[in-house]
Amino acid sequence: MSGTKPRHLGAVLALLAFAQMIIAIDYNIVFVALPEIGEDLQFSAQNLQWVVSAYAVAFGGFLLLGGRATDLFGRKNMFIVGMFLYAASSLAGALASEQWLLIAARAVQGLGGAFLAPATLSLVTTLFEEGPERNRALSVWGGAGGSGMVLGSILGGLLTDRLGWAAVFYVNVVMAVIGLIAAVMLLPTTRRSASGSFDLPGAVLGTGFSTLLVFGLVQGPDKGWGAPIVIWSLALAVALFALFIIVESRSSSPLVPLRLFRNRNLAAGTTLTFLFMATFGALAYFLTQLWQVVQGYSAWATGLAFVVPSGLVLVGTVVGGRAATKLGIRTTLFLALALGVVGTAALAITVGADQPYGLLVAPLAVLSLGQGMVFTTMFAAASTGVPAEDQGIGGGIATTGQQIGGAVGLAVLIALTSAVNGTGGDSDPDQLVPGIRAATWAIAAGIGLTTLAALTLRSTTTAGPQVVTTSGEPTPADNRA
């Protein structure tokens, strides 16, 4: 932590949590509005996915740039830029009367998220002392993400049913304007925390490879993995990544300082964020299929169905922060992942076309509690030992892993469900159930494998600050992991 703490630190944390809630709301709120958007703007089934994909591609593609910009140009400045982009693009989305306008607005929303997310996370990790104080702050920040998932599901269904799909964008405008005003008033003025010039070649290559990678992964399930656009996107992503590593290793002011990966916790934490979204994060897609497509829930009913799991995610973030302080990050992760495996396996056993919602509540509660605990703890792990001047790009790296993990996990699981279902689900929604069950079992197995990444974490401090060595490795003052 560096610099002087603001006087109203509690209010600042509330603002940072509010920003995280906006990002979480935006992730969920559009899903239940998609059918009405498709009908009103006459999207084809193939093009409608771009209302979601445009956001995901821009968000995942520009996170490294957003993270480094946070370090170079100031956390407060980038927070304001990200919040402004959210407000402007949400207004454009609400007013869109053409397909391309809505897709473009969603892409700019994703760009806003790519600046806002690392700025928000780096403000949390630099304003709050590493150890118990930061764990508590991350639990509040993560809890806001969990509550945002609840609000996104409920608001998406309610606003779409009562006011039409444009309302899911107007509500973002209101929240983003509130966030902008509060940021100007509350956030401490932050100077650039990283020295050196802006790495333009690294920015172009880093943004290029991550954008193409997310684009190819998003397109794969829809176009087919043998489609030329998918093959070329992924091939170019690999080529640009190789060039990116060469450029960064020779740059005096790299976009992503490769020395950061000598910090084992950042590398392990980023792996955890990747696997978290590839498993826990992908489950919502298959639950939506079960409730809306198989069981015929309305948009409003689907939103309500997500209240229990999203609410328990919120509880889990608070429990995870406290457990990390008392037990250590690594032990907390093992407990949380065990809850995830048990709950998801129980859900796979229970799920069915005619199963009432009440039978799903217990397994959903268990896995969601574990999910919330992992969410808080994985970011605490990723930020441990990262120097203050690199917290922006550190947060960008961890969040990039999260975004790419979501795209990879969903692509693999959709391919699995397609293989299991064959063409049966095309005519009879009940035939989707075997694929949903197979995906749920695969998610449970993936959560179990995630414990291997947790094993690579260094022992972490739970009761005070850490000393960071010149290699970037944290040296714990109090080891409880």
Side-chain angles (χ1 to χ4, degrees):
M1 183 186 67
S2 62
T4 304
K5 288 187 178 183
R7 291 178 58 190
H8 306 290
L9 192 58
V12 170
L13 178 58
L15 171 60
L16 299 177
F18 181 67
Q20 176 65 10
M21 185 180 72
I22 292 174
I23 295 171
I25 285 174
D26 205 56
Y27 182 81
N28 269 9
I29 198 169
V30 172
F31 280 102
V32 292
L34 285 177
E36 187 170 318
I37 291 173
E39 182 178 351
D40 190 35
L41 296 185
Q42 298 182 330
F43 275 94
S44 66
Q46 181 179 9
N47 289 335
L48 185 60
Q49 63 143 338
W50 276 106
V51 177
V52 175
S53 298
Y55 180 88
V57 170
F59 198 157
F62 284 85
L63 270 168
L64 293 178
L65 178 61
R68 200 53 176 169
T70 294
D71 293 326
L72 288 172
F73 305 122
R75 300 179 184 101
K76 179 178 181 177
N77 293 336
M78 291 300 102
F79 184 98
I80 290 173
V81 167
M83 198 67 81
F84 172 78
L85 289 174
Y86 254 115
S89 59
S90 296
L91 181 60
L95 297 174
S97 57
E98 300 287 341
Q99 296 177 14
W100 71 269
L101 285 172
L102 182 58
I103 291 172
R106 287 289 286 165
V108 178
Q109 272 189 330
L111 180 62
F115 286 107
L116 183 61
T120 303
L121 179 57
S122 65
L123 280 164
V124 173
T125 56
T126 54
L127 290 174
F128 296 89
E129 192 87 42
E130 188 173 293
E133 183 178 285
R134 185 182 295 176
N135 291 340
R136 288 192 295 270
L138 282 170
S139 70
V140 173
W141 175 82
S147 65
M149 293 175 65
V150 177
L151 288 174
S153 301
I154 296 173
L155 285 174
L158 177 62
L159 293 174
T160 301
D161 280 351
R162 302 296 173 86
L163 301 174
W165 65 265
V168 305
F169 291 95
Y170 280 126
V171 72
N172 268 337
V173 178
V174 174
M175 292 188 296
V177 169
I178 293 172
L180 268 174
I181 296 171
V184 173
M185 295 174 60
L186 292 174
L187 288 183
T189 300
T190 54
R191 303 184 185 93
R192 55 187 294 165
S193 58
S195 60
S197 58
F198 185 71
D199 178 18
L200 182 60
V204 172
L205 291 170
T207 301
F209 93 74
S210 50
T211 301
L212 285 168
L213 177 61
V214 176
F215 176 82
L217 292 170
V218 167
Q219 288 291 287
D222 179 61
K223 301 287 188 182
W225 294 104
I229 190 172
V230 175
I231 293 173
W232 279 107
S233 295
L234 296 179
L236 285 173
V238 172
L240 290 180
F241 178 72
L243 287 174
F244 175 74
I245 295 298
I246 293 171
V247 168
E248 296 304 276
S249 65
R250 298 178 178 179
S251 174
S252 58
S253 301
L255 178 76
V256 179
L258 300 182
R259 60 179 167 74
L260 290 177
F261 292 98
R262 293 200 297 269
N263 178 352
R264 198 162 69 197
N265 272 4
L266 176 60
T270 302
T271 303
L272 285 166
T273 65
F274 176 94
L275 293 171
F276 173 86
M277 282 301 293
T279 54
F280 286 111
L283 187 59
Y285 173 87
F286 298 99
L287 289 173
T288 301
Q289 272 202 324
L290 174 68
W291 289 328
Q292 282 194 297
V293 179
V294 177
Q295 298 187 344
Y297 284 24
S298 66
W300 174 231
T302 301
L304 287 177
F306 275 109
V307 168
V308 169
S310 298
L312 267 294
V313 169
L314 172 59
V315 173
T317 58
V318 177
V319 173
R322 293 178 178 177
T325 297
K326 293 183 178 180
L327 303 175
I329 290 173
R330 194 166 57 186
T331 301
T332 302
L333 276 169
F334 283 129
L335 292 174
L337 291 168
L339 287 174
V341 171
V342 171
T344 309
L347 181 66
I349 294 170
T350 308
V351 71
D354 300 319
Q355 294 286 18
Y357 180 78
L359 291 180
L360 303 180
V361 168
L364 283 172
V366 173
L367 74 90
S368 298
L369 182 64
Q371 180 177 351
M373 292 175 66
V374 174
F375 186 87
T376 295
T377 317
M378 69 185 184
F379 282 108
S383 66
T384 298
V386 177
E389 65 270 18
D390 293 318
Q391 283 288 347
I393 187 59
I397 291 169
T399 313
T400 297
Q402 186 182 8
Q403 294 298 312
I404 293 175
V408 171
L410 196 56
V412 171
L413 291 167
I414 288 175
L416 173 64
T417 58
S418 297
V420 171
N421 290 334
T423 59
D426 295 340
S427 57
D428 183 1
D430 287 355
Q431 297 304 309
L432 292 173
V433 173
I436 294 172
R437 186 179 294 113
T440 307
W441 276 116
I443 289 169
I447 295 170
L449 290 174
T450 305
T451 57
L452 297 178
L455 283 173
T456 66
L457 287 169
R458 286 178 62 92
S459 299
T460 55
T461 297
T462 60
Q466 292 180 336
V467 178
V468 181
T469 67
T470 55
S471 68
E473 288 281 10
T475 303
D478 174 28
N479 181 341
R480 290 192 191 175

